[in-house]
Amino acid sequence: DTGVSQDPRHKITKRGQNVTFRCDPISEHNRLYWYRQTLGQGPEFLTYFQNEAQLEKSRLLSDRFSAERPKGSFSTLEIQRTEQGDSAMYLCASSLVVEELFFGSGTQLSVL
Amino acid sequence: KQEVTQIPAALSVPEGENLVLNCSFTDSAIYNLQWFRQDPGKGLTSLLLIQSSQREQTSGRLNASLDKSSGRSTLYIAASQPGDSATYLCAADTQGGSEKLVFGKGTKLTVNP
């Protein structure tokens, strides 16, 4: 499969725990994006990388959130001290040219 | 601040019907407008991208139009099929790099056999 891969597909955690998600973009894509989607809403931008540089972060990305993309390849999104409001689908996308985004299947997070 | 609205929120049609999904945006200064499809519990699949200088784009049974002056885009689906059942999302790119697409809430389409 040469598409965008996200792991895990589902994550259930208790409030206060830390969680980490992984995204593997399409191999030649230099841009990588993270979006968050809650039930019944459209995705909301969180952050994006060009190669290994994190170029922009949304105000939605509180201090408990951190994203990395070492060596400009895969990316991780970590949420510390999870809260029930963090429950959502976390979507990763990648692109080679700026306008055509390819999304992964997402990681569904449930915080109990 | 760009806001994107999609009407209706849900639509149910019999198979074979032609249909139109609507998308409106508040800031006409967009670089492009994209339409995506999302199946339940899945990610998004890009359907059509209309550049700000274009009026429409076509792919198979899908046709998307863009009217920047009125802040509207439509997605026309011809001869609908049960496999078209999904949520359709439109997204406005206001920065020119797709870094911060602004999405609508989507229209959930059900095509009944």
Side-chain angles (χ1 to χ4, degrees), chain A residues 9-10 31 33 35 37 40-45 47-48 56 59 89 91 95 98-106, chain B residues 1 31-32 34 36 38 41-46 49 51 89 93 95-106:
Chain A
R9 290 295 313 278
H10 305 275
R31 286 186 165 219
Y33 313 78
Y35 281 78
Q37 185 179 27
Q41 303 294 315
E44 295 175 292
F45 169 81
T47 187
Y48 91 99
E56 191 162 354
R59 288 172 293 176
M89 172 81 83
L91 293 162
S95 71
V98 297
E99 292 164 342
E100 189 172 14
L101 269 65
F102 295 83
F103 280 84
S105 296
Chain B
K1 178 186 175 185
Y31 283 84
N32 61 57
Q34 301 186 43
F36 294 87
Q38 186 173 33
K42 299 292 182 63
L44 281 67
T45 301
S46 178
L49 182 153
Q51 303 277 4
L89 296 144
D93 178 358
Q95 294 196 177
S98 291
E99 297 92 356
K100 293 171 62 175
L101 295 179
V102 179
F103 283 84
K105 293 182 180 181

Side-chain angles (χ1 to χ4, degrees), chain B residues 25-47:
Chain B
F25 45 93
T26 54
D27 185 351
S28 63
I30 63 171
Y31 283 84
N32 61 57
L33 192 291
Q34 301 186 43
W35 283 92
F36 294 87
R37 168 184 172 141
Q38 186 173 33
D39 292 288
K42 299 292 182 63
L44 281 67
T45 301
S46 178
L47 297 174

Side-chain angles (χ1 to χ4, degrees), chain B residues 57-73:
Chain B
Q57 281 286 335
T58 298
S59 176
R61 294 183 293 108
L62 305 180
N63 176 276
S65 67
L66 175 64
D67 184 343
K68 286 180 58 178
S69 61
S70 66
R72 294 181 182 178
S73 176

